[in-house]
Amino acid sequence: MRNHTRARQALTTISTLTALTSATYIATGVGFMWAPWAYSLAWLLLISSLAYVIPQIDTLIALATTIARHIIHAARHAHDWLAALANRRQSPARVVRSTTHMEAGR
């Protein structure tokens, strides 16, 4: 990710979102009936976006990997924080009452 500048990441992200939006508009199929010019524009945007994104696929993969790592880190942090909060709320009396006879015999 060190070789990819912020500008390149931003352009790749914008082009990817444009390609996805254009493809979705084209895939719905009703665009040509309502506005043929918009349908043609969607095809032009899709082709031009893909022409930029396909050579930049390494930037897109690196960006997606970085985002996934941040999401996983945030999820682990939230899990640890919630576990610490749950442990703090549990009183010793509650722990004693919740043990069964089999656990007490160990």
Side-chain angles (χ1 to χ4, degrees):
M1 194 72 167
R2 293 183 184 114
N3 296 333
H4 308 293
T5 63
R6 295 277 184 194
R8 181 181 274 184
Q9 290 175 1
L11 284 173
T12 303
T13 303
I14 291 169
S15 293
T16 303
L17 292 175
T18 304
L20 289 172
T21 305
S22 299
T24 303
Y25 183 77
I26 293 167
T28 58
V30 296
F32 187 72
M33 293 188 315
W34 297 105
W37 58 271
Y39 193 72
S40 300
L41 181 65
W43 272 106
L44 290 173
L45 283 172
L46 178 65
I47 292 167
S48 62
S49 296
L50 288 177
Y52 183 79
V53 169
I54 290 173
Q56 301 293 330
I57 199 73
D58 62 332
T59 304
L60 185 64
I61 291 171
L63 188 61
T65 304
T66 302
I67 290 170
R69 284 183 184 154
H70 284 292
I71 290 171
I72 290 170
H73 177 73
R76 285 183 184 154
H77 181 73
H79 180 265
D80 293 343
W81 182 78
L82 289 172
L85 185 65
N87 286 338
R88 188 175 59 159
R89 285 188 176 175
Q90 196 169 19
S91 66
R94 188 172 183 173
V95 173
V96 171
R97 275 187 264 137
S98 68
T99 56
T100 61
H101 294 291
M102 291 182 68
E103 291 177 6
R106 287 184 190 177

